[in-house]
């Protein structure tokens, strides 16, 4: 019965729990190793099995419109939401004295660089989404130069994805961008390329978070779970044998494989549907303190749910022509 429950719950990962470094000092955590036991291998089979199941369903077109038909492609509603969220995100960071995330701090004397860049994102968003996207790219580049790579690697792909996507979508949203950049953006693929870039970079971000914060350093996530044990919902259900280290393995593997699937374009809508659901659940569990850092993820999730779908072979056409 326990392994049946595990197979069902393997549909769930915790990507919005990904930034454990917000809560744990990344230089002070115990060494730990993932437990290699029957439960370890059961988790592996369950998570890999779900990924294969989602891929086959999408590939065969078994869910039809759910997996293959984009929606709201005539609207820019969620793209506009993303622009508002990014402006709000960086304004709140400036108010709170943060640069990108709570665990990233610029040295004294360089703090003004971070303030200016983040304010520039919000102010330029008023008239040019594309220029604001360029500012986000500059923030990503600046952080990679001024901060330790081991810290910023958890954020750079997401920033590059959002910044690049906003540059590409700008001419569709603001008159200034349409006049100034439409020819250049159309050459690069416009809205379609923006969706692909968001999907690939979000997948890469999840892959990095799963490997970097969990699979490579299980002690880091173990410390987090000891501080906030309620995240291990298996134990809340009474499954005492499902230790915190098993949970770290489960989450790290799920994030890594689901991120890889997004990068490769496999079962995009099914993967994003599960991720979006867990974003909302874990935000509810974590409370308001966890909301700010994940606002961009929510907007990206809805954009990808609407527009990042998989083309499936037309089985009826193949049979007829054959």
């Amino acid at each position: 019965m326990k392994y049946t429950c595990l197979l069902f719950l393997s549909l769930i990962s915790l990507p919005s729990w990904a930034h454990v470094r917000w809560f744990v000092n990344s230089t002070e955590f115990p060494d730990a190793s993932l437990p290699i036991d029957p439960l370890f291998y059961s988790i592996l089979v369950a998570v890999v099995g779900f990924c294969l199941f989602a891929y086959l369903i999408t590939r065969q077109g078994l869910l039809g419109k759910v997996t293959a038909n984009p929606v709201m492609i005539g609207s820019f509603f969620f793209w506009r939401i993303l622009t508002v969220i990014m402006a709000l995100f960086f304004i709140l960071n400036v108010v709170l004295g943060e640069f990108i995330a709570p665990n990233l701090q610029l040295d004294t004397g360089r703090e003004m660089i971070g303030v200016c860049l983040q304010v520039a994102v919000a102010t330029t968003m008023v008239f040019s989404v594309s220029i604001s996207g360029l500012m986000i790219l500059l923030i990503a580049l600046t952080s990679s130069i001024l901060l330790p790579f081991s810290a910023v690697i958890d954020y750079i792909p997401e920033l590059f994805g959002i910044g690049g996507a906003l540059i590409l979508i700008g001419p569709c949203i603001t008159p200034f961008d349409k006049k100034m950049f439409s020819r250049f953006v159309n050459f690069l693929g416009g809205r379609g390329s923006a969706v692909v870039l968001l999907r690939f970079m979000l997948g890469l971000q999840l892959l990095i978070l799963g490997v970097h914060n969990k699979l490579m350093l299980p002690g880091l996530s173990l410390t987090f779970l000891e501080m906030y044990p309620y995240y291990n919902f298996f134990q809340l259900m009474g499954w005492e044998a499902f230790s915190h280290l098993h949970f770290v393995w489960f989450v790290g593997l799920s994030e890594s494989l689901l991120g890889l699937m997004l990068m490769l374009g496999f079962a995009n809508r099914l993967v994003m549907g599960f991720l979006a659901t867990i974003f909302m659940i874990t935000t509810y569990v974590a409370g308001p303190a966890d909301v700010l850092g994940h606002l961009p993820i929510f907007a990206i999730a809805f954009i990808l749910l609407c527009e990042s779908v998989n083309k499936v072979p037309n089985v009826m056409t193949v049979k007829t022509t054959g």
Side-chain angles (χ1 to χ4, degrees), residues 228-247:
Y228 308 98
Y230 51 82
Y231 275 98
N232 187 349
F233 53 82
F234 290 100
Q235 288 192 356
L236 290 180
M237 295 170 59
W239 196 340
E240 296 297 332
F242 207 102
S243 69
H244 289 335
L245 282 173
H246 285 112
F247 192 73

PDB file of all heavy atoms in Angstrom, residues 228-247:
ATOM      1  N   TYR A 228      11.894  23.059   9.063  1.00  0.00           N
ATOM      2  CA  TYR A 228      10.497  23.113   8.640  1.00  0.00           C
ATOM      3  C   TYR A 228      10.030  21.708   8.257  1.00  0.00           C
ATOM      4  O   TYR A 228       9.817  21.407   7.075  1.00  0.00           O
ATOM      5  CB  TYR A 228      10.331  24.068   7.452  1.00  0.00           C
ATOM      6  CG  TYR A 228      10.916  25.441   7.685  1.00  0.00           C
ATOM      7  CD1 TYR A 228      12.181  25.775   7.208  1.00  0.00           C
ATOM      8  CD2 TYR A 228      10.202  26.407   8.392  1.00  0.00           C
ATOM      9  CE1 TYR A 228      12.720  27.040   7.429  1.00  0.00           C
ATOM     10  CE2 TYR A 228      10.722  27.674   8.613  1.00  0.00           C
ATOM     11  CZ  TYR A 228      11.985  27.979   8.133  1.00  0.00           C
ATOM     12  OH  TYR A 228      12.516  29.230   8.358  1.00  0.00           O
ATOM     13  N   PRO A 229       9.854  20.819   9.235  1.00  0.00           N
ATOM     14  CA  PRO A 229       9.556  19.409   8.946  1.00  0.00           C
ATOM     15  C   PRO A 229       8.216  19.180   8.263  1.00  0.00           C
ATOM     16  O   PRO A 229       8.011  18.126   7.644  1.00  0.00           O
ATOM     17  CB  PRO A 229       9.581  18.759  10.344  1.00  0.00           C
ATOM     18  CG  PRO A 229       9.321  19.874  11.296  1.00  0.00           C
ATOM     19  CD  PRO A 229       9.953  21.092  10.688  1.00  0.00           C
ATOM     20  N   TYR A 230       7.293  20.148   8.337  1.00  0.00           N
ATOM     21  CA  TYR A 230       5.971  19.939   7.748  1.00  0.00           C
ATOM     22  C   TYR A 230       6.017  19.853   6.227  1.00  0.00           C
ATOM     23  O   TYR A 230       5.045  19.425   5.595  1.00  0.00           O
ATOM     24  CB  TYR A 230       5.009  21.054   8.185  1.00  0.00           C
ATOM     25  CG  TYR A 230       5.522  22.456   7.983  1.00  0.00           C
ATOM     26  CD1 TYR A 230       5.434  23.095   6.747  1.00  0.00           C
ATOM     27  CD2 TYR A 230       6.102  23.166   9.042  1.00  0.00           C
ATOM     28  CE1 TYR A 230       5.898  24.381   6.568  1.00  0.00           C
ATOM     29  CE2 TYR A 230       6.569  24.456   8.875  1.00  0.00           C
ATOM     30  CZ  TYR A 230       6.463  25.057   7.635  1.00  0.00           C
ATOM     31  OH  TYR A 230       6.931  26.331   7.453  1.00  0.00           O
ATOM     32  N   TYR A 231       7.140  20.254   5.603  1.00  0.00           N
ATOM     33  CA  TYR A 231       7.240  20.115   4.147  1.00  0.00           C
ATOM     34  C   TYR A 231       7.275  18.652   3.727  1.00  0.00           C
ATOM     35  O   TYR A 231       6.881  18.312   2.618  1.00  0.00           O
ATOM     36  CB  TYR A 231       8.488  20.829   3.626  1.00  0.00           C
ATOM     37  CG  TYR A 231       8.278  22.300   3.377  1.00  0.00           C
ATOM     38  CD1 TYR A 231       8.665  23.248   4.316  1.00  0.00           C
ATOM     39  CD2 TYR A 231       7.691  22.744   2.200  1.00  0.00           C
ATOM     40  CE1 TYR A 231       8.479  24.601   4.086  1.00  0.00           C
ATOM     41  CE2 TYR A 231       7.507  24.088   1.957  1.00  0.00           C
ATOM     42  CZ  TYR A 231       7.897  25.021   2.911  1.00  0.00           C
ATOM     43  OH  TYR A 231       7.699  26.349   2.670  1.00  0.00           O
ATOM     44  N   ASN A 232       7.772  17.788   4.580  1.00  0.00           N
ATOM     45  CA  ASN A 232       7.788  16.355   4.269  1.00  0.00           C
ATOM     46  C   ASN A 232       6.389  15.797   4.516  1.00  0.00           C
ATOM     47  O   ASN A 232       6.090  15.231   5.561  1.00  0.00           O
ATOM     48  CB  ASN A 232       8.821  15.633   5.132  1.00  0.00           C
ATOM     49  CG  ASN A 232       8.998  14.173   4.734  1.00  0.00           C
ATOM     50  OD1 ASN A 232       8.212  13.628   3.951  1.00  0.00           O
ATOM     51  ND2 ASN A 232      10.017  13.539   5.271  1.00  0.00           N
ATOM     52  N   PHE A 233       5.515  15.972   3.523  1.00  0.00           N
ATOM     53  CA  PHE A 233       4.112  15.614   3.707  1.00  0.00           C
ATOM     54  C   PHE A 233       3.918  14.109   3.827  1.00  0.00           C
ATOM     55  O   PHE A 233       2.884  13.653   4.319  1.00  0.00           O
ATOM     56  CB  PHE A 233       3.268  16.175   2.556  1.00  0.00           C
ATOM     57  CG  PHE A 233       3.755  15.814   1.184  1.00  0.00           C
ATOM     58  CD1 PHE A 233       3.446  14.601   0.610  1.00  0.00           C
ATOM     59  CD2 PHE A 233       4.516  16.723   0.461  1.00  0.00           C
ATOM     60  CE1 PHE A 233       3.880  14.279  -0.660  1.00  0.00           C
ATOM     61  CE2 PHE A 233       4.955  16.415  -0.812  1.00  0.00           C
ATOM     62  CZ  PHE A 233       4.643  15.180  -1.377  1.00  0.00           C
ATOM     63  N   PHE A 234       4.893  13.317   3.404  1.00  0.00           N
ATOM     64  CA  PHE A 234       4.785  11.872   3.583  1.00  0.00           C
ATOM     65  C   PHE A 234       4.723  11.521   5.074  1.00  0.00           C
ATOM     66  O   PHE A 234       3.930  10.679   5.491  1.00  0.00           O
ATOM     67  CB  PHE A 234       5.972  11.164   2.931  1.00  0.00           C
ATOM     68  CG  PHE A 234       5.958  11.209   1.428  1.00  0.00           C
ATOM     69  CD1 PHE A 234       6.731  12.129   0.742  1.00  0.00           C
ATOM     70  CD2 PHE A 234       5.173  10.338   0.693  1.00  0.00           C
ATOM     71  CE1 PHE A 234       6.722  12.171  -0.643  1.00  0.00           C
ATOM     72  CE2 PHE A 234       5.151  10.369  -0.691  1.00  0.00           C
ATOM     73  CZ  PHE A 234       5.931  11.294  -1.355  1.00  0.00           C
ATOM     74  N   GLN A 235       5.561  12.164   5.863  1.00  0.00           N
ATOM     75  CA  GLN A 235       5.539  11.905   7.296  1.00  0.00           C
ATOM     76  C   GLN A 235       4.274  12.462   7.939  1.00  0.00           C
ATOM     77  O   GLN A 235       3.754  11.887   8.899  1.00  0.00           O
ATOM     78  CB  GLN A 235       6.784  12.504   7.966  1.00  0.00           C
ATOM     79  CG  GLN A 235       8.063  11.745   7.650  1.00  0.00           C
ATOM     80  CD  GLN A 235       9.227  12.149   8.535  1.00  0.00           C
ATOM     81  OE1 GLN A 235       9.129  13.062   9.358  1.00  0.00           O
ATOM     82  NE2 GLN A 235      10.359  11.472   8.364  1.00  0.00           N
ATOM     83  N   LEU A 236       3.762  13.569   7.401  1.00  0.00           N
ATOM     84  CA  LEU A 236       2.507  14.102   7.921  1.00  0.00           C
ATOM     85  C   LEU A 236       1.364  13.115   7.713  1.00  0.00           C
ATOM     86  O   LEU A 236       0.398  13.088   8.483  1.00  0.00           O
ATOM     87  CB  LEU A 236       2.175  15.432   7.233  1.00  0.00           C
ATOM     88  CG  LEU A 236       3.053  16.635   7.581  1.00  0.00           C
ATOM     89  CD1 LEU A 236       2.587  17.866   6.808  1.00  0.00           C
ATOM     90  CD2 LEU A 236       3.028  16.917   9.077  1.00  0.00           C
ATOM     91  N   MET A 237       1.474  12.289   6.672  1.00  0.00           N
ATOM     92  CA  MET A 237       0.467  11.272   6.395  1.00  0.00           C
ATOM     93  C   MET A 237       0.684  10.013   7.235  1.00  0.00           C
ATOM     94  O   MET A 237      -0.079   9.060   7.125  1.00  0.00           O
ATOM     95  CB  MET A 237       0.499  10.913   4.904  1.00  0.00           C
ATOM     96  CG  MET A 237       0.108  12.044   3.970  1.00  0.00           C
ATOM     97  SD  MET A 237       0.430  11.646   2.235  1.00  0.00           S
ATOM     98  CE  MET A 237      -0.572  10.173   2.041  1.00  0.00           C
ATOM     99  N   GLY A 238       1.723  10.026   8.049  1.00  0.00           N
ATOM    100  CA  GLY A 238       1.977   8.877   8.904  1.00  0.00           C
ATOM    101  C   GLY A 238       3.010   7.907   8.369  1.00  0.00           C
ATOM    102  O   GLY A 238       3.221   6.841   8.958  1.00  0.00           O
ATOM    103  N   TRP A 239       3.660   8.269   7.285  1.00  0.00           N
ATOM    104  CA  TRP A 239       4.663   7.394   6.678  1.00  0.00           C
ATOM    105  C   TRP A 239       6.020   7.721   7.292  1.00  0.00           C
ATOM    106  O   TRP A 239       6.828   8.417   6.707  1.00  0.00           O
ATOM    107  CB  TRP A 239       4.677   7.594   5.172  1.00  0.00           C
ATOM    108  CG  TRP A 239       5.379   6.511   4.414  1.00  0.00           C
ATOM    109  CD1 TRP A 239       6.284   5.610   4.880  1.00  0.00           C
ATOM    110  CD2 TRP A 239       5.212   6.218   3.030  1.00  0.00           C
ATOM    111  NE1 TRP A 239       6.709   4.775   3.887  1.00  0.00           N
ATOM    112  CE2 TRP A 239       6.054   5.120   2.731  1.00  0.00           C
ATOM    113  CE3 TRP A 239       4.442   6.761   2.013  1.00  0.00           C
ATOM    114  CZ2 TRP A 239       6.156   4.569   1.456  1.00  0.00           C
ATOM    115  CZ3 TRP A 239       4.538   6.217   0.747  1.00  0.00           C
ATOM    116  CH2 TRP A 239       5.374   5.133   0.478  1.00  0.00           C
ATOM    117  N   GLU A 240       6.269   7.211   8.485  1.00  0.00           N
ATOM    118  CA  GLU A 240       7.476   7.544   9.228  1.00  0.00           C
ATOM    119  C   GLU A 240       8.744   7.046   8.543  1.00  0.00           C
ATOM    120  O   GLU A 240       9.822   7.617   8.720  1.00  0.00           O
ATOM    121  CB  GLU A 240       7.386   6.984  10.647  1.00  0.00           C
ATOM    122  CG  GLU A 240       6.268   7.589  11.480  1.00  0.00           C
ATOM    123  CD  GLU A 240       6.458   9.085  11.704  1.00  0.00           C
ATOM    124  OE1 GLU A 240       7.615   9.547  11.712  1.00  0.00           O
ATOM    125  OE2 GLU A 240       5.443   9.789  11.871  1.00  0.00           O
ATOM    126  N   ALA A 241       8.633   5.965   7.780  1.00  0.00           N
ATOM    127  CA  ALA A 241       9.815   5.417   7.109  1.00  0.00           C
ATOM    128  C   ALA A 241      10.326   6.326   5.994  1.00  0.00           C
ATOM    129  O   ALA A 241      11.474   6.182   5.565  1.00  0.00           O
ATOM    130  CB  ALA A 241       9.497   4.026   6.541  1.00  0.00           C
ATOM    131  N   PHE A 242       9.479   7.267   5.559  1.00  0.00           N
ATOM    132  CA  PHE A 242       9.885   8.191   4.496  1.00  0.00           C
ATOM    133  C   PHE A 242      10.663   9.334   5.154  1.00  0.00           C
ATOM    134  O   PHE A 242      10.103  10.371   5.508  1.00  0.00           O
ATOM    135  CB  PHE A 242       8.664   8.736   3.756  1.00  0.00           C
ATOM    136  CG  PHE A 242       8.946   9.139   2.339  1.00  0.00           C
ATOM    137  CD1 PHE A 242       8.588   8.330   1.277  1.00  0.00           C
ATOM    138  CD2 PHE A 242       9.582  10.341   2.050  1.00  0.00           C
ATOM    139  CE1 PHE A 242       8.840   8.700  -0.036  1.00  0.00           C
ATOM    140  CE2 PHE A 242       9.842  10.723   0.753  1.00  0.00           C
ATOM    141  CZ  PHE A 242       9.471   9.892  -0.297  1.00  0.00           C
ATOM    142  N   SER A 243      11.945   9.134   5.328  1.00  0.00           N
ATOM    143  CA  SER A 243      12.783  10.081   6.066  1.00  0.00           C
ATOM    144  C   SER A 243      12.958  11.384   5.290  1.00  0.00           C
ATOM    145  O   SER A 243      12.612  11.488   4.108  1.00  0.00           O
ATOM    146  CB  SER A 243      14.157   9.461   6.332  1.00  0.00           C
ATOM    147  OG  SER A 243      14.880   9.326   5.123  1.00  0.00           O
ATOM    148  N   HIS A 244      13.539  12.360   5.970  1.00  0.00           N
ATOM    149  CA  HIS A 244      13.821  13.634   5.308  1.00  0.00           C
ATOM    150  C   HIS A 244      14.786  13.456   4.138  1.00  0.00           C
ATOM    151  O   HIS A 244      14.662  14.132   3.115  1.00  0.00           O
ATOM    152  CB  HIS A 244      14.395  14.632   6.313  1.00  0.00           C
ATOM    153  CG  HIS A 244      13.392  15.135   7.302  1.00  0.00           C
ATOM    154  ND1 HIS A 244      12.030  15.174   7.049  1.00  0.00           N
ATOM    155  CD2 HIS A 244      13.543  15.640   8.570  1.00  0.00           C
ATOM    156  CE1 HIS A 244      11.388  15.672   8.088  1.00  0.00           C
ATOM    157  NE2 HIS A 244      12.285  15.964   9.027  1.00  0.00           N
ATOM    158  N   LEU A 245      15.747  12.562   4.280  1.00  0.00           N
ATOM    159  CA  LEU A 245      16.691  12.333   3.179  1.00  0.00           C
ATOM    160  C   LEU A 245      16.007  11.650   2.001  1.00  0.00           C
ATOM    161  O   LEU A 245      16.362  11.913   0.839  1.00  0.00           O
ATOM    162  CB  LEU A 245      17.876  11.506   3.664  1.00  0.00           C
ATOM    163  CG  LEU A 245      18.924  12.293   4.458  1.00  0.00           C
ATOM    164  CD1 LEU A 245      19.983  11.362   5.039  1.00  0.00           C
ATOM    165  CD2 LEU A 245      19.590  13.360   3.584  1.00  0.00           C
ATOM    166  N   HIS A 246      15.045  10.782   2.257  1.00  0.00           N
ATOM    167  CA  HIS A 246      14.259  10.215   1.155  1.00  0.00           C
ATOM    168  C   HIS A 246      13.492  11.327   0.450  1.00  0.00           C
ATOM    169  O   HIS A 246      13.358  11.332  -0.778  1.00  0.00           O
ATOM    170  CB  HIS A 246      13.276   9.163   1.678  1.00  0.00           C
ATOM    171  CG  HIS A 246      13.908   7.859   2.039  1.00  0.00           C
ATOM    172  ND1 HIS A 246      13.994   7.403   3.325  1.00  0.00           N
ATOM    173  CD2 HIS A 246      14.509   6.911   1.269  1.00  0.00           C
ATOM    174  CE1 HIS A 246      14.593   6.226   3.345  1.00  0.00           C
ATOM    175  NE2 HIS A 246      14.932   5.909   2.110  1.00  0.00           N
ATOM    176  N   PHE A 247      12.985  12.265   1.240  1.00  0.00           N
ATOM    177  CA  PHE A 247      12.232  13.374   0.663  1.00  0.00           C
ATOM    178  C   PHE A 247      13.138  14.266  -0.180  1.00  0.00           C
ATOM    179  O   PHE A 247      12.739  14.747  -1.246  1.00  0.00           O
ATOM    180  CB  PHE A 247      11.577  14.181   1.778  1.00  0.00           C
ATOM    181  CG  PHE A 247      10.560  15.172   1.284  1.00  0.00           C
ATOM    182  CD1 PHE A 247       9.324  14.731   0.827  1.00  0.00           C
ATOM    183  CD2 PHE A 247      10.826  16.529   1.262  1.00  0.00           C
ATOM    184  CE1 PHE A 247       8.378  15.637   0.366  1.00  0.00           C
ATOM    185  CE2 PHE A 247       9.896  17.429   0.800  1.00  0.00           C
ATOM    186  CZ  PHE A 247       8.661  16.990   0.351  1.00  0.00           C
TER     187      PHE A 247
END
